[in-house]
Amino acid sequence: MVTRTIDLRSDTVTKPTETMRLAMAKAEVDDDVLIYDPTARRLEIEMARITGKEAALFVPSGTMGNLISVLVHCEIRGSEVILGDNSHIHIYENGGISTIGGVHPRPLKNNEDGSIDVDLIESAIRNPEFEICYPRTRLICLENSHANSGGRCLSVDYIDQVGDLAKKHGLKLHIDGARIFNASAALKVPVDRLVQAADSVSVCLSKGLGAPVGSVIVGTKPFIDRARILRKTLGGGMRQVGILCAAALVALEENVQKLVIDHKNAKTLAEGLNKIKGLSVDIASVETNIVYFEISKGSHITALKLGKIMEEHGILLMPDSSSRVRIVIHHQVSASDVQYTLSCIKQAMTGVTGENGCN
């Protein structure tokens, strides 16, 4: 009989805390489309302050935040954006920049750490004098931390380099900072310094920060003014949105400091998995809260089967392929949850119960 549930599928699965629910119930609200909601204003002012940007805008999702940002920077249809071939915008956002915005993606190889070689970026910038054939390059997109690279972080020096390159060629730089607070905690660099070179940033509130809904995009005041109009066009203008923003304000106050604990738990989990026969983890790649592990070739078990077995013990995982599994740690996963998970996975792989038991 399952006595508890440990949800490791993503950091998007967190439930609102009691403090969040109370804040939501008491939130002062008004019509946000008319820019009157006071709680939304508080959140946006705070996010602009944290990121060091002029203004901010609450949006329903990270996908919408990235889409709006790309469309503001690439107002002319047929513009081109340089981005990673393994980036969230390129793979997981329904091709919206193309289907909705008419923006042409120029995907370049992501390195194992989520970066793109700066020389490669520069060589991909189109020659504007040959516009008769080429789309016009207008934007570079980076992702920090980089989800498909296992939550690895782009250094501030690297981001500054790309920012300098963008300015040299008259381009804009957007950072998909869905987990920028994780990157900040791991690198021990303040968020505003980490995104200083960026013209815009999207920040997810419902991943590591643990709020129930939403993202915020930040940039200059003219950028946000245009973004507000596009949010309405895309159906993202909501009314008494302060109910959601109240939970996000609690998340900023209470959960940012917990990210280092999430990272510690992720590293502990990775090291434990690497000791189980038939599994392997690249320990060095675990910089934040995401862990990928591989099941050895020829094993008696597949990732899907392992997921089914774990579910019987109340542990929810996300198979990434037939032999690869992704685990994401969040503030509602404790150190004891990590040890219990290791015991259950060890039992499934070897038939031997770990010292922490597996019910």
Side-chain angles (χ1 to χ4, degrees):
M1 180 178 176
V2 174
T3 57
R4 59 175 164 174
T5 298
I6 303 171
D7 198 335
L8 303 171
R9 293 172 298 168
S10 179
D11 47 6
T12 60
V13 302
T14 55
K15 307 298 189 292
T17 63
E18 288 304 314
T19 311
M20 288 180 189
R21 292 177 188 273
L22 183 61
M24 293 168 78
K26 292 185 173 182
E28 186 181 358
V29 298
D30 205 326
D31 191 327
D32 184 52
V33 173
L34 301 179
I35 323 181
Y36 286 144
D37 191 295
T39 307
R41 293 295 76 69
R42 280 178 56 211
L43 174 63
E44 290 166 351
I45 289 169
E46 179 64 4
M47 286 299 293
R49 183 193 69 79
I50 290 171
T51 58
K53 302 303 181 186
E54 289 181 6
L57 182 71
F58 179 85
V59 294
S61 71
T63 293
M64 183 179 285
N66 285 328
L67 176 59
I68 289 172
S69 298
V70 171
L71 297 191
V72 172
H73 293 308
C74 300
E75 283 194 295
I76 299 173
R77 291 180 68 85
S79 297
E80 186 168 79
V81 54
I82 293 172
L83 75 177
D85 65 348
N86 206 18
S87 66
H88 197 280
I89 293 176
H90 186 57
I91 297 176
Y92 298 118
E93 299 185 8
N94 302 107
I97 62 172
S98 298
T99 57
I100 296 173
V103 177
H104 186 258
R106 185 83 183 272
L108 303 180
K109 179 178 172 53
N110 278 118
N111 298 316
E112 289 187 0
D113 64 356
S115 67
I116 309 167
D117 290 343
V118 176
D119 290 345
L120 189 61
I121 294 174
E122 185 159 33
S123 68
I125 298 171
R126 305 288 190 176
N127 181 356
E129 295 180 2
F130 206 53
E131 207 169 22
I132 189 68
C133 293
Y134 294 153
R136 173 71 72 98
T137 308
R138 298 186 189 276
L139 177 66
I140 302 168
C141 290
L142 300 176
E143 181 180 334
N144 201 16
S145 63
H146 197 276
N148 272 3
S149 296
R152 297 187 71 172
C153 306
L154 303 180
S155 72
V156 68
D157 290 340
Y158 171 78
I159 296 170
D160 285 350
Q161 272 188 281
V162 177
D164 289 343
L165 178 65
K167 287 183 175 64
K168 174 183 172 183
H169 292 274
L171 311 179
K172 300 296 184 181
L173 172 61
H174 172 71
I175 294 178
D176 176 0
R179 296 184 176 90
I180 194 69
F181 281 91
N182 289 90
S184 172
L187 295 169
K188 298 180 181 178
V189 176
V191 171
D192 60 345
R193 179 62 189 91
L194 204 49
V195 302
Q196 183 176 299
D199 296 283
S200 61
V201 187
S202 61
V203 182
C204 189
L205 302 166
S206 61
K207 289 190 170 73
L209 296 182
V213 179
S215 286
V216 172
I217 51 178
V218 298
T220 63
K221 188 177 184 303
F223 171 88
I224 293 298
D225 288 344
R226 178 61 185 151
R228 189 179 302 278
I229 295 169
L230 282 170
R231 183 185 70 173
K232 184 71 165 63
T233 303
L234 295 169
M238 300 183 286
R239 302 297 178 176
Q240 286 69 34
V241 75
I243 292 173
L244 301 176
C245 294
L249 284 164
V250 172
L252 288 173
E253 184 177 342
E254 295 186 350
N255 292 344
V256 172
Q257 59 195 338
K258 298 177 184 176
L259 295 174
V260 291
I261 300 172
D262 296 342
H263 299 172
K264 181 181 178 181
N265 285 336
K267 184 69 82 170
T268 298
L269 178 69
E271 290 169 348
L273 289 168
N274 214 34
K275 294 175 182 176
I276 297 173
K277 186 177 180 181
L279 302 181
S280 62
V281 182
D282 179 4
I283 302 293
S285 72
V286 182
E287 297 179 1
T288 54
N289 64 325
I290 300 175
V291 178
Y292 282 99
F293 68 89
E294 294 280 349
I295 299 173
S296 301
K297 189 176 181 180
S299 174
H300 69 287
I301 200 167
T302 64
L304 185 61
K305 185 177 178 182
L306 178 62
K308 295 288 186 184
I309 295 171
M310 290 302 99
E311 195 169 346
E312 293 172 3
H313 297 287
I315 300 170
L316 305 180
L317 309 176
M318 183 175 284
D320 188 57
S321 70
S322 62
S323 62
R324 192 178 193 225
V325 178
R326 186 184 85 154
I327 287 178
V328 185
I329 302 296
H330 48 79
H331 75 99
Q332 291 174 342
V333 175
S334 67
S336 65
D337 291 335
V338 168
Q339 294 304 322
Y340 177 73
T341 298
L342 286 170
S343 291
C344 291
I345 292 177
K346 181 177 181 180
Q347 180 174 302
M349 293 299 300
T350 67
V352 178
T353 305
E355 60 186 37
N356 292 281
C358 182
N359 299 324

